[in-house]
Amino acid sequence: MKPIIGIGTNHLVRPSQHMSTNYVDYTQKNYVSSLVNAGALPLLLPISDPDMAAAYVERVDAILLTGGQDVSPRLYGQDPIPQNELNDWDRDQFEQGLIHAAIAAHKPILGICRGIQLINAVLGGTDYQDIPTQVPNAIGHNQFPTDWASPVHRITTTNGSLLQQIYGKQAWVNSFHHQSVRKVAPGLTVTATAADGVVEAVEDSDRHILAVQFHPEMMAATNQQAAALFTAFVNGVRDTLA
């Protein structure tokens, strides 16, 4: 039986001749195909009232939190700096509900890019709102317009971590972000960093959390390690169902 993985969606606002604002909930195809290839059944979760989050979590076996807009610093009690743009407070609140509900139900969570930043903020940590502004001597973390499937910098993983089992001690990853984990939330363990110290992965085995800053979904079709990350996540979901 294929585990059902609920995928958090993005808001796209586009003009419409029939209404002043037309919101579209969507996700990138690569998230879906990566989960399908790993043996799961993906289910898109439209951005809704936070009170509905628990009902969604009841109907899935795990949650995938995807990339997208900047995480609002309101989640960790800070004002936004000018470089913090494109916040989606409705999404922040809804996915905050998904995180709390999934943890309460002992259901695994995989966070990617924005997902790691959101998990950290929701669980009591803080984020860098803009790496170029706030991290001295940072390497380049936004490879645009380079192909998303191309690795651009190296990460070092932590001994004993799930990520090291998948990627080895060091690996090359892609990078499309300007925010990142700053103060790590209680209970989360940093399991990978970049050369400049920027957090590239966190884990919490007790709460079934794995979150990465890079985009394995963009590399999974051609990169064995990236595909293996999704396989490990789906297999972990199966273990919780056994």
Side-chain angles (χ1 to χ4, degrees):
M1 190 171 180
K2 296 180 183 292
I4 301 172
I5 312 297
I7 303 179
T9 54
N10 269 306
H11 260 158
L12 174 66
V13 181
R14 65 185 186 187
S16 169
Q17 62 178 336
H18 303 295
M19 59 189 75
S20 58
T21 304
N22 183 21
Y23 288 98
V24 178
D25 289 335
Y26 74 100
T27 195
Q28 298 290 341
K29 179 68 173 179
N30 291 28
Y31 292 113
V32 173
S33 58
S34 296
L35 289 173
V36 169
N37 291 337
L41 178 65
L43 181 67
L44 300 192
L45 305 180
I47 298 168
S48 307
D49 189 289
D51 292 339
M52 294 180 62
Y56 281 120
V57 169
E58 285 181 6
R59 288 160 173 79
V60 300
D61 300 312
I63 296 292
L64 167 59
L65 300 174
T66 65
Q69 305 92 337
D70 288 354
V71 172
S72 172
R74 294 167 62 185
L75 286 172
Y76 45 90
Q78 294 182 12
D79 294 326
I81 63 175
Q83 293 81 7
N84 187 309
E85 301 176 328
L86 301 175
N87 296 155
D88 188 338
W89 186 238
D90 289 341
R91 183 182 180 189
D92 286 344
Q93 290 182 298
F94 175 63
E95 292 190 344
Q96 178 176 224
L98 292 178
I99 292 168
H100 287 309
I103 290 172
H106 307 288
K107 295 186 177 182
I109 303 172
L110 173 61
I112 293 177
C113 196
R114 167 192 156 89
I116 186 175
Q117 300 157 15
L118 184 71
I119 290 168
N120 186 62
V122 167
L123 297 183
T126 65
D127 294 337
Y128 287 112
Q129 296 187 47
D130 182 62
I131 292 172
T133 304
Q134 298 178 317
V135 180
N137 303 313
I139 63 174
H141 285 276
N142 190 344
Q143 68 189 71
F144 181 82
T146 305
D147 175 37
W148 282 51
S150 299
V152 294
H153 74 72
R154 190 166 59 183
I155 61 171
T156 300
T157 61
T158 302
N159 291 337
S161 64
L162 175 60
L163 204 68
Q164 187 168 104
Q165 295 176 34
I166 299 168
Y167 278 87
K169 182 66 176 177
Q170 292 187 327
W172 287 82
V173 298
N174 56 3
S175 192
F176 289 92
H177 63 106
H178 80 108
Q179 297 191 322
S180 68
V181 170
R182 188 170 192 169
K183 177 184 175 183
V184 182
L188 297 181
T189 300
V190 175
T191 56
T193 56
D196 56 6
V198 166
V199 173
E200 292 286 336
V202 296
E203 297 178 24
D204 180 350
S205 58
D206 291 338
R207 291 182 286 186
H208 309 291
I209 295 172
L210 169 64
V212 298
Q213 185 57 73
F214 48 94
H215 281 272
E217 82 285 357
M218 292 296 180
M219 301 180 70
T222 57
N223 182 281
Q224 183 177 0
Q225 293 165 318
L229 185 148
F230 288 97
T231 299
F233 175 64
V234 172
N235 287 342
V237 176
R238 288 196 178 97
D239 290 343
T240 66
L241 299 173

Short mmCIF file of all heavy atoms in Angstrom, two decimals, residues 197-238:
data_model
loop_
_atom_site.label_atom_id
_atom_site.label_comp_id
_atom_site.label_asym_id
_atom_site.label_seq_id
_atom_site.Cartn_x
_atom_site.Cartn_y
_atom_site.Cartn_z
N GLY A 197 29.12 27.87 7.00
CA GLY A 197 28.40 27.62 8.23
C GLY A 197 26.89 27.65 8.12
O GLY A 197 26.19 27.36 9.10
N VAL A 198 26.37 28.03 6.97
CA VAL A 198 24.91 28.06 6.79
C VAL A 198 24.35 26.65 6.94
O VAL A 198 24.88 25.68 6.37
CB VAL A 198 24.54 28.65 5.42
CG1 VAL A 198 23.07 28.39 5.08
CG2 VAL A 198 24.81 30.15 5.40
N VAL A 199 23.29 26.53 7.70
CA VAL A 199 22.66 25.23 7.97
C VAL A 199 22.01 24.69 6.69
O VAL A 199 21.22 25.38 6.04
CB VAL A 199 21.61 25.35 9.09
CG1 VAL A 199 20.84 24.04 9.25
CG2 VAL A 199 22.28 25.76 10.40
N GLU A 200 22.35 23.46 6.35
CA GLU A 200 21.81 22.83 5.15
C GLU A 200 20.85 21.68 5.44
O GLU A 200 20.17 21.21 4.53
CB GLU A 200 22.96 22.32 4.27
CG GLU A 200 23.82 23.42 3.66
CD GLU A 200 23.13 24.16 2.52
OE1 GLU A 200 22.21 23.57 1.90
OE2 GLU A 200 23.50 25.31 2.25
N ALA A 201 20.80 21.22 6.69
CA ALA A 201 19.85 20.17 7.05
C ALA A 201 19.69 20.11 8.56
O ALA A 201 20.62 20.41 9.31
CB ALA A 201 20.30 18.81 6.53
N VAL A 202 18.48 19.75 9.00
CA VAL A 202 18.22 19.46 10.41
C VAL A 202 17.40 18.18 10.48
O VAL A 202 16.70 17.82 9.53
CB VAL A 202 17.46 20.61 11.12
CG1 VAL A 202 18.29 21.88 11.15
CG2 VAL A 202 16.10 20.85 10.48
N GLU A 203 17.51 17.50 11.62
CA GLU A 203 16.75 16.28 11.85
C GLU A 203 16.27 16.23 13.29
O GLU A 203 16.84 16.86 14.17
CB GLU A 203 17.61 15.04 11.56
CG GLU A 203 18.08 14.94 10.12
CD GLU A 203 18.99 13.72 9.87
OE1 GLU A 203 18.89 12.74 10.66
OE2 GLU A 203 19.79 13.77 8.92
N ASP A 204 15.21 15.47 13.49
CA ASP A 204 14.72 15.14 14.83
C ASP A 204 14.07 13.78 14.71
O ASP A 204 12.92 13.66 14.26
CB ASP A 204 13.73 16.20 15.32
CG ASP A 204 13.19 15.90 16.73
OD1 ASP A 204 13.44 14.78 17.23
OD2 ASP A 204 12.52 16.76 17.31
N SER A 205 14.78 12.74 15.09
CA SER A 205 14.27 11.38 14.92
C SER A 205 13.05 11.12 15.81
O SER A 205 12.15 10.36 15.44
CB SER A 205 15.37 10.35 15.21
OG SER A 205 15.88 10.51 16.52
N ASP A 206 13.00 11.74 16.99
CA ASP A 206 11.88 11.52 17.88
C ASP A 206 10.57 12.04 17.30
O ASP A 206 9.50 11.45 17.51
CB ASP A 206 12.13 12.19 19.24
CG ASP A 206 13.24 11.51 20.03
OD1 ASP A 206 13.51 10.33 19.77
OD2 ASP A 206 13.83 12.18 20.90
N ARG A 207 10.67 13.17 16.58
CA ARG A 207 9.47 13.74 15.97
C ARG A 207 9.38 13.46 14.47
O ARG A 207 8.54 14.03 13.77
CB ARG A 207 9.42 15.26 16.25
CG ARG A 207 9.19 15.59 17.71
CD ARG A 207 9.09 17.08 17.97
NE ARG A 207 10.40 17.74 17.89
CZ ARG A 207 10.63 19.02 18.17
NH1 ARG A 207 9.62 19.79 18.55
NH2 ARG A 207 11.84 19.54 18.09
N HIS A 208 10.24 12.57 13.99
CA HIS A 208 10.20 12.12 12.57
C HIS A 208 10.35 13.30 11.60
O HIS A 208 9.62 13.40 10.62
CB HIS A 208 8.90 11.36 12.27
CG HIS A 208 8.58 10.26 13.22
ND1 HIS A 208 9.33 9.10 13.31
CD2 HIS A 208 7.61 10.15 14.17
CE1 HIS A 208 8.81 8.32 14.24
NE2 HIS A 208 7.78 8.92 14.78
N ILE A 209 11.30 14.20 11.89
CA ILE A 209 11.51 15.37 11.06
C ILE A 209 12.83 15.27 10.32
O ILE A 209 13.87 14.99 10.93
CB ILE A 209 11.49 16.66 11.90
CG1 ILE A 209 10.12 16.90 12.53
CG2 ILE A 209 11.90 17.87 11.06
CD1 ILE A 209 10.09 18.04 13.53
N LEU A 210 12.80 15.47 9.02
CA LEU A 210 13.98 15.65 8.19
C LEU A 210 13.74 16.87 7.33
O LEU A 210 12.69 16.98 6.69
CB LEU A 210 14.22 14.42 7.30
CG LEU A 210 15.27 14.58 6.19
CD1 LEU A 210 16.66 14.82 6.78
CD2 LEU A 210 15.28 13.36 5.27
N ALA A 211 14.68 17.81 7.34
CA ALA A 211 14.50 19.03 6.55
C ALA A 211 15.84 19.45 5.96
O ALA A 211 16.87 19.41 6.63
CB ALA A 211 13.93 20.15 7.40
N VAL A 212 15.81 19.86 4.69
CA VAL A 212 17.02 20.25 3.98
C VAL A 212 16.83 21.62 3.33
O VAL A 212 15.71 22.00 2.97
CB VAL A 212 17.42 19.22 2.91
CG1 VAL A 212 17.72 17.87 3.55
CG2 VAL A 212 16.34 19.06 1.84
N GLN A 213 17.93 22.34 3.17
CA GLN A 213 17.88 23.67 2.59
C GLN A 213 17.96 23.64 1.07
O GLN A 213 17.48 24.53 0.39
CB GLN A 213 19.00 24.54 3.16
CG GLN A 213 18.98 25.99 2.71
CD GLN A 213 17.68 26.68 3.03
OE1 GLN A 213 17.39 26.99 4.18
NE2 GLN A 213 16.87 26.94 2.01
N PHE A 214 18.56 22.60 0.53
CA PHE A 214 18.72 22.48 -0.93
C PHE A 214 17.46 21.87 -1.54
O PHE A 214 16.47 21.62 -0.85
CB PHE A 214 19.97 21.69 -1.27
CG PHE A 214 20.13 20.41 -0.50
CD1 PHE A 214 19.69 19.20 -1.02
CD2 PHE A 214 20.74 20.41 0.75
CE1 PHE A 214 19.83 18.02 -0.31
CE2 PHE A 214 20.90 19.22 1.47
CZ PHE A 214 20.43 18.04 0.94
N HIS A 215 17.50 21.61 -2.84
CA HIS A 215 16.31 21.14 -3.57
C HIS A 215 16.56 19.77 -4.20
O HIS A 215 16.80 19.66 -5.40
CB HIS A 215 15.94 22.15 -4.66
CG HIS A 215 15.22 23.35 -4.18
ND1 HIS A 215 13.84 23.40 -4.05
CD2 HIS A 215 15.68 24.55 -3.76
CE1 HIS A 215 13.48 24.60 -3.60
NE2 HIS A 215 14.58 25.31 -3.41
N PRO A 216 16.42 18.69 -3.42
CA PRO A 216 16.64 17.36 -4.00
C PRO A 216 15.63 16.99 -5.08
O PRO A 216 15.93 16.18 -5.97
CB PRO A 216 16.53 16.43 -2.79
CG PRO A 216 15.69 17.18 -1.81
CD PRO A 216 16.07 18.62 -1.99
N GLU A 217 14.44 17.57 -5.00
CA GLU A 217 13.42 17.24 -6.01
C GLU A 217 13.85 17.66 -7.40
O GLU A 217 13.43 17.07 -8.40
CB GLU A 217 12.07 17.87 -5.63
CG GLU A 217 11.88 19.31 -6.00
CD GLU A 217 12.62 20.30 -5.10
OE1 GLU A 217 13.26 19.86 -4.12
OE2 GLU A 217 12.56 21.51 -5.36
N MET A 218 14.70 18.70 -7.50
CA MET A 218 15.16 19.17 -8.79
C MET A 218 16.29 18.31 -9.36
O MET A 218 16.62 18.40 -10.54
CB MET A 218 15.64 20.63 -8.69
CG MET A 218 14.52 21.61 -8.41
SD MET A 218 13.35 21.65 -9.79
CE MET A 218 12.17 22.88 -9.19
N MET A 219 16.89 17.47 -8.49
CA MET A 219 18.01 16.64 -8.92
C MET A 219 17.65 15.16 -8.95
O MET A 219 18.42 14.34 -9.44
CB MET A 219 19.20 16.87 -7.98
CG MET A 219 19.70 18.30 -7.93
SD MET A 219 21.11 18.53 -6.80
CE MET A 219 22.41 17.66 -7.69
N ALA A 220 16.49 14.80 -8.41
CA ALA A 220 16.18 13.38 -8.17
C ALA A 220 16.13 12.56 -9.46
O ALA A 220 16.40 11.36 -9.43
CB ALA A 220 14.87 13.26 -7.42
N ALA A 221 15.78 13.19 -10.57
CA ALA A 221 15.65 12.43 -11.82
C ALA A 221 17.01 11.96 -12.34
O ALA A 221 17.09 10.96 -13.06
CB ALA A 221 14.96 13.28 -12.88
N THR A 222 18.08 12.65 -11.96
CA THR A 222 19.40 12.34 -12.50
C THR A 222 20.45 12.08 -11.42
O THR A 222 21.58 11.70 -11.74
CB THR A 222 19.90 13.49 -13.39
OG1 THR A 222 19.93 14.71 -12.64
CG2 THR A 222 18.99 13.66 -14.60
N ASN A 223 20.12 12.28 -10.15
CA ASN A 223 21.08 12.17 -9.07
C ASN A 223 20.63 11.09 -8.09
O ASN A 223 19.55 11.19 -7.51
CB ASN A 223 21.22 13.53 -8.35
CG ASN A 223 22.25 13.52 -7.25
OD1 ASN A 223 21.97 13.03 -6.15
ND2 ASN A 223 23.42 14.06 -7.52
N GLN A 224 21.48 10.08 -7.90
CA GLN A 224 21.10 8.93 -7.08
C GLN A 224 20.88 9.32 -5.63
O GLN A 224 19.95 8.82 -4.98
CB GLN A 224 22.20 7.87 -7.17
CG GLN A 224 21.90 6.59 -6.42
CD GLN A 224 22.97 5.54 -6.59
OE1 GLN A 224 23.96 5.76 -7.27
NE2 GLN A 224 22.77 4.38 -5.98
N GLN A 225 21.69 10.23 -5.10
CA GLN A 225 21.55 10.62 -3.70
C GLN A 225 20.24 11.37 -3.48
O GLN A 225 19.55 11.15 -2.48
CB GLN A 225 22.74 11.47 -3.28
CG GLN A 225 24.06 10.71 -3.24
CD GLN A 225 25.25 11.64 -3.17
OE1 GLN A 225 25.30 12.67 -3.83
NE2 GLN A 225 26.22 11.27 -2.35
N ALA A 226 19.92 12.29 -4.38
CA ALA A 226 18.68 13.04 -4.24
C ALA A 226 17.47 12.13 -4.29
O ALA A 226 16.53 12.27 -3.49
CB ALA A 226 18.59 14.11 -5.33
N ALA A 227 17.48 11.17 -5.21
CA ALA A 227 16.37 10.21 -5.28
C ALA A 227 16.31 9.37 -4.01
O ALA A 227 15.22 9.06 -3.51
CB ALA A 227 16.54 9.32 -6.51
N ALA A 228 17.49 9.02 -3.48
CA ALA A 228 17.54 8.19 -2.27
C ALA A 228 16.97 8.92 -1.06
O ALA A 228 16.45 8.28 -0.14
CB ALA A 228 18.97 7.76 -2.00
N LEU A 229 17.06 10.25 -1.04
CA LEU A 229 16.47 11.00 0.07
C LEU A 229 14.96 10.78 0.12
O LEU A 229 14.39 10.55 1.20
CB LEU A 229 16.80 12.49 -0.06
CG LEU A 229 16.36 13.39 1.10
CD1 LEU A 229 17.34 14.55 1.28
CD2 LEU A 229 14.96 13.95 0.88
N PHE A 230 14.31 10.84 -1.04
CA PHE A 230 12.86 10.63 -1.06
C PHE A 230 12.51 9.17 -0.72
O PHE A 230 11.52 8.90 -0.03
CB PHE A 230 12.30 11.02 -2.42
CG PHE A 230 12.27 12.50 -2.64
CD1 PHE A 230 13.28 13.13 -3.34
CD2 PHE A 230 11.25 13.28 -2.12
CE1 PHE A 230 13.27 14.50 -3.53
CE2 PHE A 230 11.22 14.65 -2.30
CZ PHE A 230 12.24 15.26 -3.01
N THR A 231 13.34 8.25 -1.19
CA THR A 231 13.10 6.84 -0.86
C THR A 231 13.23 6.61 0.64
O THR A 231 12.41 5.90 1.25
CB THR A 231 14.10 5.95 -1.62
OG1 THR A 231 13.92 6.12 -3.03
CG2 THR A 231 13.89 4.48 -1.26
N ALA A 232 14.25 7.22 1.25
CA ALA A 232 14.43 7.07 2.70
C ALA A 232 13.26 7.67 3.46
O ALA A 232 12.80 7.11 4.46
CB ALA A 232 15.74 7.73 3.13
N PHE A 233 12.76 8.82 2.99
CA PHE A 233 11.62 9.44 3.65
C PHE A 233 10.39 8.56 3.55
O PHE A 233 9.70 8.30 4.55
CB PHE A 233 11.34 10.81 3.03
CG PHE A 233 10.11 11.49 3.55
CD1 PHE A 233 10.01 11.88 4.88
CD2 PHE A 233 9.03 11.74 2.70
CE1 PHE A 233 8.87 12.50 5.36
CE2 PHE A 233 7.89 12.36 3.18
CZ PHE A 233 7.80 12.74 4.51
N VAL A 234 10.10 8.06 2.36
CA VAL A 234 8.91 7.22 2.17
C VAL A 234 9.04 5.92 2.96
O VAL A 234 8.07 5.45 3.57
CB VAL A 234 8.68 6.95 0.67
CG1 VAL A 234 7.57 5.92 0.47
CG2 VAL A 234 8.33 8.25 -0.05
N ASN A 235 10.24 5.33 2.97
CA ASN A 235 10.43 4.12 3.77
C ASN A 235 10.24 4.40 5.27
O ASN A 235 9.70 3.55 6.00
CB ASN A 235 11.83 3.54 3.53
CG ASN A 235 11.95 2.88 2.17
OD1 ASN A 235 10.95 2.53 1.54
ND2 ASN A 235 13.16 2.69 1.71
N GLY A 236 10.67 5.57 5.70
CA GLY A 236 10.45 5.96 7.09
C GLY A 236 8.98 6.10 7.41
O GLY A 236 8.52 5.76 8.52
N VAL A 237 8.21 6.62 6.45
CA VAL A 237 6.76 6.72 6.63
C VAL A 237 6.17 5.32 6.77
O VAL A 237 5.32 5.06 7.63
CB VAL A 237 6.11 7.49 5.46
CG1 VAL A 237 4.59 7.50 5.63
CG2 VAL A 237 6.64 8.91 5.37
N ARG A 238 6.61 4.40 5.94
CA ARG A 238 6.11 3.01 6.03
C ARG A 238 6.39 2.42 7.40
O ARG A 238 5.57 1.69 7.97
CB ARG A 238 6.75 2.16 4.94
CG ARG A 238 6.25 2.43 3.52
CD ARG A 238 6.64 1.30 2.59
NE ARG A 238 6.14 1.53 1.24
CZ ARG A 238 6.87 2.04 0.26
NH1 ARG A 238 8.13 2.39 0.48
NH2 ARG A 238 6.34 2.23 -0.94
#
